[in-house]
Amino acid sequence: MQTSRNRPPRVLAIAEAANPEWVSVPLVGWSLAQALRDVADVHLVTQVRNRDAILRAGLVEGKDFTAIDSEAVARPLWALAEKLRMGEGKGWTTLQAINALIYPWFEHLVWKEFGPAIKAGAFDVVHRITPLSPTISSPIARKVHRVGVPFVLGPLNGGVPWPKHFDAERRAEKEWLSYIRSAYKHLPGRNTALKHASAIVVGSHHTQSEIPKAYQDKTVYIPENGIDPGRFNKIAKPTGDVLKACFVGRLVPYKGADMLIAAAADLLRSGRMTLDIIGDGPMLGDLIAQAKSLGCETGLKFHKWIDHSEVQTLLSKSHILSFPSIREFGGGVVLEAMALGVVPVIVDYAGPGELVTTQTGFKVPCGSRDEIIAGFHTIFERLAENPDALAPIAATAKARVDEYFLWSRKANQIRDVYEWTLDKRQADKPDIFAAGLRPISATMP
């Protein structure tokens, strides 16, 4: 892509969370900002807590990135958030509510630092990459718009409703604020940011549906997760004639590891299946006890926590990723499995349900606990008859990732969004999946 001046666009990439050494949102922020350097002249603006990791990654402060110190406001409010969320890894909605108070100060400091340069035309596009949450507004959007520079917001994702059959899990996750989450739509500044954005990148169809009708024509659907082929570069080669399954995730109620063990118990006892559970969390003790009570410890191994860089080594020994999470916004682990040629078996809801098609994996409808367990059990029984038959599906899954979900591919997708915002009269709005594999509605295998 070239601007009218025959040069790559100059982009101020705002990613408050961007860290090459962390996972989840910070890794998304870092990975996308870095990938964009191949298609644009990018200067990254991030929070000071990421500074040391970014320096270790080889970027030059002042030239490649700027670290904004917003700790005077952030530190005490994050401390409050940790108290209010009532347990490590819990209360995600509470955490986002506190972040909605913290983030505007960060953007205030960003404008103070870069406002004069934006006004002077030093950047062609300003792009807020993180936070991903659609509940967190961007006060800088109106200021950028006023000086005639396109403002790109997103990818935005989150806020998927809790499935009606899983209110107990909702309460176990301390998601008290989720009952009134929709109130964020009435917060000051929310519509202002949407109004003044030139493009709104949405990471899920649910998030797209929550954008007001007046701004729908600005939305572009691009799931936020991507794959770094340098991190996930193995090809799955499971050995033997026994179905090998793997679960990767925190051991918390909504991830569904207990449903997985229940669904697999018969096959584990009979030796027709093995299951590796990678992850740690408050449910570990209960899951071990569950496996013992069901008599299926044989063939089941708990690996607890392992470094993210080592996950692919274990995962690539499996035929399937068995992942019954009932409320997953993005589903990065699903893409990681597909990139290795490991076939996903997932609940058809939220992020994983959009990433997996009937050509690339197996989807169980999001019903009650008993229905999900029965659905996974049925799939396991069928796949255990001939695990080698999964090879063509694995190849299609890997091809889908290579086509749409490598970070290099996503950089090109965002590049198309920049092109559209810079000259809407000449460019059609990008429709990334129009030419190929759109998300397909679920059917049982």
Side-chain angles (χ1 to χ4, degrees):
M1 169 189 169
Q2 301 292 313
T3 67
S4 59
R5 297 180 183 180
N6 198 34
R7 54 167 170 73
R10 300 162 301 174
V11 178
L12 185 67
I14 302 172
E16 188 266 353
N19 195 304
E21 298 175 3
W22 297 348
V23 295
S24 192
V25 175
L27 185 57
V28 169
W30 165 259
S31 299
L32 182 53
Q34 281 299 96
L36 286 169
R37 294 184 186 278
D38 290 334
V39 299
D41 180 3
V42 173
H43 188 87
L44 171 65
V45 188
T46 191
Q47 212 270 352
V48 72
R49 64 179 174 274
N50 304 306
R51 177 179 179 271
D52 291 345
I54 292 175
L55 288 172
R56 286 191 289 271
L59 269 63
V60 178
E61 190 168 13
K63 175 180 176 290
D64 301 317
F65 80 101
T66 297
I68 299 293
D69 189 350
S70 57
E71 287 295 279
V73 170
R75 187 181 295 110
L77 285 176
W78 280 127
L80 174 63
E82 288 302 320
K83 293 179 180 178
L84 293 177
R85 69 192 303 195
M86 294 176 285
E88 184 179 355
K90 298 183 183 296
W92 175 256
T93 308
T94 300
L95 197 64
Q96 294 309 305
I98 295 297
N99 200 17
L101 300 176
I102 296 171
Y103 184 72
W105 178 248
F106 172 79
E107 276 203 2
H108 167 77
L109 297 177
V110 171
W111 183 257
K112 184 177 180 181
E113 179 76 19
F114 288 96
I118 295 171
K119 291 178 182 178
F123 298 98
D124 300 305
V125 176
V126 176
H127 180 186
R128 189 196 100 174
I129 297 174
T130 67
L132 302 182
S133 172
T135 66
I136 299 174
S137 187
S138 246
I140 206 173
R142 179 166 57 181
K143 298 175 182 178
V144 173
H145 175 78
R146 281 179 174 174
V147 299
V149 175
F151 180 80
V152 176
L153 181 62
L156 301 179
N157 199 6
V160 178
W162 279 85
K164 63 181 181 180
H165 297 288
F166 290 89
D167 199 58
E169 285 74 12
R170 185 183 198 176
R171 293 174 180 273
E173 293 287 345
K174 311 298 183 185
E175 283 292 319
W176 313 116
L177 281 183
S178 68
Y179 291 97
I180 57 170
R181 177 189 173 276
S182 61
Y184 88 90
K185 298 177 184 178
H186 306 289
L187 291 175
R190 189 243 182 176
N191 279 349
T192 299
L194 299 177
K195 176 182 178 181
H196 291 104
S198 298
I200 304 165
V201 179
V202 291
S204 70
H205 293 304
H206 170 75
T207 298
Q208 189 170 33
S209 74
E210 289 201 327
I211 302 296
K213 184 177 180 180
Y215 312 122
Q216 280 289 329
D217 62 345
K218 300 180 183 183
T219 62
V220 180
Y221 172 73
I222 304 176
E224 77 270 18
N225 287 110
I227 291 296
D228 177 357
R231 287 176 180 247
F232 285 83
N233 53 15
K234 293 182 181 292
I235 300 296
K237 294 181 179 179
T239 58
D241 56 1
V242 173
L243 178 66
K244 293 180 171 60
C246 189
F247 169 94
V248 182
R250 291 186 300 121
L251 303 183
V252 293
Y254 79 89
K255 295 284 187 178
D258 56 326
M259 293 190 291
L260 173 58
I261 292 173
D266 285 350
L267 290 96
L268 294 172
R269 283 195 297 265
S270 63
R272 291 177 290 155
M273 175 178 172
T274 65
L275 175 59
D276 290 296
I277 293 183
I278 301 172
D280 207 342
M283 290 184 68
L284 177 61
D286 290 339
L287 294 173
I288 293 173
Q290 178 191 12
K292 185 176 182 179
S293 69
L294 293 173
C296 61
E297 306 102 307
T298 302
L300 171 59
K301 185 172 182 179
F302 292 93
H303 294 269
K304 300 183 181 179
W305 184 89
I306 63 174
D307 189 87
H308 188 246
S309 63
E310 299 174 10
V311 169
Q312 71 160 334
T313 301
L314 274 174
L315 189 53
S316 62
K317 297 177 181 179
S318 303
H319 295 98
I320 59 172
L321 171 75
S322 44
F323 193 63
S325 178
I326 50 91
R327 190 174 181 261
E328 204 74 23
F329 300 152
V333 68
V334 174
L335 288 181
E336 292 171 354
M338 291 167 64
L340 300 174
V342 177
V343 176
V345 182
I346 54 97
V347 173
D348 187 18
Y349 190 66
E354 294 185 14
L355 297 175
V356 177
T357 73
T358 52
Q359 291 85 12
T360 61
F362 300 95
K363 307 202 279 190
V364 174
C366 188
S368 67
R369 290 180 59 84
D370 288 345
E371 288 169 336
I372 290 174
I373 291 169
F376 271 77
H377 178 76
T378 297
I379 292 172
F380 293 159
E381 286 280 359
R382 293 187 62 180
L383 298 183
E385 293 176 3
N386 184 15
D388 290 341
L390 286 164
I393 301 174
T396 303
K398 187 178 187 313
R400 178 168 168 82
V401 169
D402 291 345
E403 179 68 19
Y404 293 105
F405 296 106
L406 300 183
W407 283 115
S408 58
R409 298 289 191 186
K410 302 186 83 62
N412 285 319
Q413 294 161 10
I414 297 294
R415 175 204 63 189
D416 291 343
V417 175
Y418 293 161
E419 186 174 67
W420 178 57
T421 64
L422 287 166
D423 196 355
K424 288 187 177 181
R425 292 172 300 176
Q426 300 297 323
D428 293 331
K429 185 173 78 167
D431 190 350
I432 307 304
F433 291 89
L437 295 169
R438 286 184 178 276
I440 299 173
S441 59
T443 58
M444 283 295 290

